Amino acid sequence: SQQGEEDPQALSIQEGENATMNCSYKTSINNLQWYRQNSGRGLVHLILIRSNEREKHSGRLRVTLDTSKKSSSLLITASRAADTASYFCATAPLGSARQLTFGSGTQLTVLP
Amino acid sequence: NAGVTQTPKFRVLKTGQSMTLLCAQDMNHEYMYWYRQDPGMGLRLIHYSVGEGTTAKGEVPDGYNVSRLKKQNFLLGLESAAPSQTSVYFCASSPMTSGRAWNTGELFFGEGSRLTVL
């Protein structure tokens, strides 16, 4: 079963706009991670946020985590055409040592 | 610096045939994983390994076997391929994390192996 579920499944925006993707999960976690996948390629790690953190930044990326609601969001500011990709959240559940459970992803299209 | 390398990248099998996917990592990572990716379902964990000589089942292990005889290699085998195993397979590795033993860190992925079973 999928631990994380992303919303929306697909998102299309204009270059320069901000993109927000959401992730909900079911069980308590150790950390939550976001990955990016370009078409036909492997996944690339973007950012990791621990369960005791509420917000984290990396360049144009901002991730928030609300453990009370079991949800996270990924914000990409000032998007570029090169940001077009699928974005996945992945959770490291408590008690499931060294495993990550992935959601089904959000397909982001940034139009030039 | 190759990172995680998967071979082969593409393969077509007939139902009932067997094959092995090879994953090699040159980062001296302790943990290695095999996932499959199907449309609309994200990635699902097949098997994983927390060290040389050890393997464990993931979410969808049936029909697959794995071996980790060397720290840098993780092999995924299909003994009798079925059309339901048509998928893209991803290998990933992860370093041992400091601090709490149960903390799962960043995964480094290969480029994938696309398998079609006819």
Side-chain angles (χ1 to χ4, degrees):
Chain A
S1 63
Q2 297 294 309
Q3 160 77 321
E5 293 293 335
E6 287 92 340
D7 172 59
Q9 290 186 333
L11 178 61
S12 184
I13 60 174
Q14 295 289 331
E15 210 166 22
E17 294 180 339
N18 296 342
T20 299
M21 289 158 270
N22 303 297
C23 171
S24 60
Y25 56 92
K26 299 174 184 175
T27 62
S28 297
I29 60 171
N30 187 296
N31 67 63
L32 184 144
Q33 304 178 30
W34 285 90
Y35 287 80
R36 165 193 170 128
Q37 183 181 34
N38 285 20
S39 181
R41 306 297 300 275
L43 280 74
V44 175
H45 180 265
L46 294 176
I47 198 164
L48 180 154
I49 186 166
R50 302 188 192 286
S51 59
N52 61 352
E53 298 176 316
R54 293 296 168 259
E55 187 171 313
K56 206 161 183 180
H57 297 256
S58 177
R60 293 185 295 114
L61 305 181
R62 172 179 171 255
V63 169
T64 61
L65 179 64
D66 187 334
T67 53
S68 66
K69 295 182 179 178
K70 291 186 170 58
S71 67
S72 173
S73 67
L74 171 67
L75 168 67
I76 304 174
T77 60
S79 62
R80 306 165 182 168
D83 293 329
T84 294
S86 292
Y87 293 81
F88 295 88
C89 71
T91 52
L94 282 176
S96 297
R98 309 181 190 95
Q99 296 182 49
L100 281 186
T101 304
F102 286 81
S104 53
T106 293
Q107 172 61 51
L108 173 66
T109 302
V110 181
L111 302 170
Chain B
N1 189 1
V4 178
T5 303
Q6 295 182 227
T7 52
K9 290 183 170 51
F10 301 93
R11 184 74 186 270
V12 178
L13 290 177
K14 294 181 180 178
T15 297
Q17 287 185 320
S18 63
M19 75 157 295
T20 300
L21 297 176
L22 171 64
C23 176
Q25 54 96 1
D26 61 2
M27 297 173 284
N28 200 34
H29 286 171
E30 290 293 329
Y31 312 143
M32 296 188 74
Y33 309 82
W34 275 108
Y35 286 89
R36 61 176 288 173
Q37 184 176 34
D38 301 295
M41 297 192 70
L43 278 76
R44 291 181 292 169
L45 182 64
I46 305 171
H47 286 279
Y48 65 101
S49 168
V50 299
E52 182 178 319
T54 71
T55 64
K57 294 180 180 180
E59 180 187 355
V60 288
D62 294 342
Y64 305 95
N65 56 75
V66 287
S67 64
R68 183 109 180 261
L69 300 179
K70 293 182 179 180
K71 185 177 182 178
Q72 63 268 33
N73 296 337
F74 195 28
L75 279 65
L76 178 70
L78 286 72
E79 291 185 348
S80 180
S84 61
Q85 293 177 305
T86 293
S87 187
V88 181
Y89 292 85
F90 286 97
C91 177
S93 69
S94 180
M96 182 180 291
T97 54
S98 59
R100 295 186 60 184
W102 304 112
N103 198 1
T104 302
E106 171 186 354
L107 265 59
F108 295 77
F109 281 85
E111 291 295 300
S113 297
R114 185 175 296 275
L115 174 65
T116 301
V117 182
L118 303 175

